[in-house]
Amino acid sequence: MTFKEIQELIRLVGKSNLTEFKMKQGDFEITLRTDKYEKGKVQALPQALPIAQAPVLPATVSTPVSPASAPVHKAPASPEVEAPAAASSEDESQYIAIKSPMIGTFYRSPSPEKPPYIKVGDTVEAGQVVCIVEAMKLFNEIESEVSGKVVKVVTEDAQPVEYDQVLFLIDPKG
Amino acid sequence: MNNTNTLFTGKVLFEFEELTSTNDYAIEMLAKTKPTEGTVISATLQTAGRGQIGSRWLANAGENITMSIILYPTFLMARRQFLLSQFCALAIRDMIAQHVDAAVSIKWPNDIYVHHRKIAGILIQNTLSGQFIQNSVFGMGININQVDFPAELPNATSLAQCTGSVYDLKTVRDQCLACFEQRYLQLKQQKIDLIQSDYLKHLHFLGENTRFENAAGLIFSGTITGTDESGQLLIDTKWGEQAFEPKSIRFLDLF
């Protein structure tokens, strides 16, 4: 195939509605792809992809240099902004509260001279005793129903507590 | 087998010459194994018997009953646990009333009195998970043959002091376990009204005009009308009916 013949072939394929043209003749092999080839590929993909990811593809596939640099600049910036925002919005919801099952008095240790059962930063196992609630001279060791990390001691030692009052916050992922 | 008067209480019995506290021993057992319901830990001498926080239970060696009973009242909501105090106090009262002609009463919340003198005390320790009780240890000290009490216990009495007799400790202990099981079965059978009406019937000072002191030091008089569901004492005062928890009130008319 001469250079002229190749030029002619390119012109014909370019005017056609073809997306791709392959030709093999002995040792000679040529593949031509039109701009319709890339559009067809991109249009097919979004249907299979989650909506949020679709805008990423045209940027990286069709325009290799400049648009790609934009996401690169954005990428380090967005986690910095988004990560603290995500953490603070999870504060209330992701912790599990250990609550008082009755009216009584809350004690953090088994007796005044002993250290508290748990403190902030400790890891607790489900079934571990975390405090005592005394009610009408009955003494109750309260077991944690979850495993995790103690993130907050909500009630002070030797204070009266109401039914359902939050005593501790536990981070189950901690 | 030890007790022939019960179905399960005291069938497993650990007896010690000396123990720091039968309740502490029972709680250690519960931490390591699952003792049979009704297991009893009994000590001839308790060297560090516990009363309420900060107070000790003093008893002469070999003269009194000092024991703890392990139960699993898992059917009971934690917030209804005052029923445990009520049935246990009633059980000890039942046993003592079998021997004593005088009025045997329950001083709120759970001490046992003959006249104005204390004959028995209870210390109940529960383990809770969520809204329910996992296990309960009923510690009790009942004065039986002791007749001389230290000066710091001016209002203590014993079965022997009340009647002039000397008692076989094992016999009295078995009677106590039988009374305990009978009352516990009433609770298990949901005979709540019976337990509450019997508790009220024997409640010290019920219906009498009595003097009290509140946490702020105010002295006032009123009439005990009963207890509420959580166990608070209800007193009819000139300001109307008020509810008190143990730390917020003191009886002034007890010896």
Side-chain angles (χ1 to χ4, degrees), chain A residues 114-133:
Chain A
K114 289 190 175 151
Y117 286 106
I118 57 166
K119 53 190 191 305
V120 171
D122 285 358
T123 302
V124 294
E125 301 291 328
Q128 184 179 333
V129 175
V130 294
C131 65
I132 285 178
V133 175

Side-chain angles (χ1 to χ4, degrees), chain B residues 45-82:
Chain B
L45 173 66
Q46 261 197 133
T47 54
R50 287 178 58 184
Q52 298 304 316
I53 277 183
S55 67
R56 291 200 301 143
W57 183 259
L58 299 161
N60 284 359
E63 295 186 343
N64 305 306
I65 294 174
T66 44
M67 65 176 175
S68 298
I69 308 169
I70 296 170
L71 292 182
Y72 300 97
T74 52
F75 55 88
L76 195 64
M77 295 284 286
R79 58 191 302 186
R80 299 299 310 275
Q81 63 179 258
F82 190 62

